[in-house]
Amino acid sequence: MPQPRGYSSIQIILHWTIAALIIFQLFVNEAMQRAFSERLDGESLDGFSGALLHMVVGLTVLVLAVIRLAIRTIRGAPPPHADTPAILNWLGHATHVLLYCFIFAMPLTGAIAWFFGIEFAAELHEVGRLILVPAIGFHVIGALAEHFVYRNDTLRRMLRSNGD
Ligand code: HEM
Ligand code: HEM
């Protein structure tokens, strides 16, 4: 896979857009939970617009994730910093892989639960949240450690493209 010097503008925009939408979904999901249990109980849906918002935002994440992965496959990503301990670089890479899995798995399990009424998919969706939240926390701590402790450009290169 190619290793450019930095991320492109489109990679940066996609990273922050997906991050914002994921965090929104983690906070705003009560209407969807209510609608889902009403639907399983065969009741008429009350206040469907909140559930629709959760669906639309989540499916937008899925579309953006497909575009993002395609760009990453073609263009690659910058290499880790040689000065950061190898174990931390490895953990950072593993977290990125996990987060990539989640930006696909969360919308897919949610959609399978909602459109096919499969409760097991809803359970996976809930368990997903329990793993995703600490993974994001770990990811943010890693980015801050690179910036403040190892004093490299990891955070800066996800904020500004170097024009490559
Ligand atoms: C970025 C993607 C998504 C994230 C981060 C996300 C996150 C969440 C969270 C945190 C919950 C509450 C889980 C709980 O603790 O009970 C939830 C519930 C739910 N979401 Fe999503 N969601 C996403 C996409 C979707 C999509 C695309 C759909 C459907 C098309 C969907 C359908 C549902 C359903 C049906 C529930 C209720 C599950 C239940 O109550 O058992 N989600 N979602
Ligand atoms: C909100 C706080 C966040 C901060 C401060 C942050 C920061 C960063 C930084 C600095 C990088 C570049 C790492 C490097 O070049 O070595 C990065 C990459 C990445 N971030 Fe985040 N991020 C955040 C949220 C998220 C969220 C919510 C997700 C997805 C759920 C996410 C997924 C990823 C992925 C998959 C990469 C790897 C990109 C690649 O190499 O293709 N990030 N993040």
Side-chain angles (χ1 to χ4, degrees):
M1 194 171 282
Q3 289 199 323
R5 279 193 302 133
Y7 292 101
S8 66
S9 306
I10 185 75
Q11 283 178 304
I12 294 172
I13 291 168
L14 285 169
H15 172 272
W16 293 112
T17 306
I18 293 175
L21 297 181
I22 292 267
I23 290 166
F24 176 84
Q25 292 289 83
L26 290 172
F27 281 102
V28 183
N29 52 57
E30 268 177 43
M32 180 45 121
Q33 291 190 53
R34 224 177 310 116
F36 188 61
S37 72
E38 282 168 3
R39 206 169 149 208
L40 289 180
D41 296 343
E43 294 170 19
S44 64
L45 297 181
D46 211 14
F48 179 65
S49 54
L52 189 61
L53 179 67
H54 187 85
M55 257 184 267
V56 171
V57 173
L59 293 174
T60 303
V61 168
L62 182 60
V63 172
L64 297 180
V66 171
I67 298 170
R68 182 172 173 184
L69 191 61
I71 294 175
R72 196 197 198 280
T73 309
I74 296 164
R75 187 181 182 276
H81 291 275
D83 293 346
T84 306
I87 176 77
L88 293 187
N89 277 334
W90 185 87
L91 281 172
H93 180 70
T95 310
H96 291 167
V97 173
L98 188 69
L99 292 173
Y100 266 113
C101 292
F102 271 101
I103 60 181
F104 287 90
M106 287 306 280
L108 286 173
T109 50
I112 293 168
W114 179 261
F115 293 113
F116 301 103
I118 297 179
E119 278 190 77
F120 179 63
E123 278 163 28
L124 289 180
H125 199 66
E126 285 179 41
V127 172
R129 180 190 65 127
L130 300 179
I131 304 170
L132 178 58
V133 171
I136 293 174
F138 189 69
H139 177 64
V140 173
I141 290 168
L144 295 177
E146 293 272 16
H147 187 76
F148 291 109
V149 180
Y150 297 101
R151 296 179 181 279
N152 58 40
D153 73 343
T154 298
L155 191 55
R156 282 191 299 274
R157 73 186 182 183
M158 196 40 110
L159 291 169
R160 205 175 317 113
S161 172
N162 65 3
D164 275 357

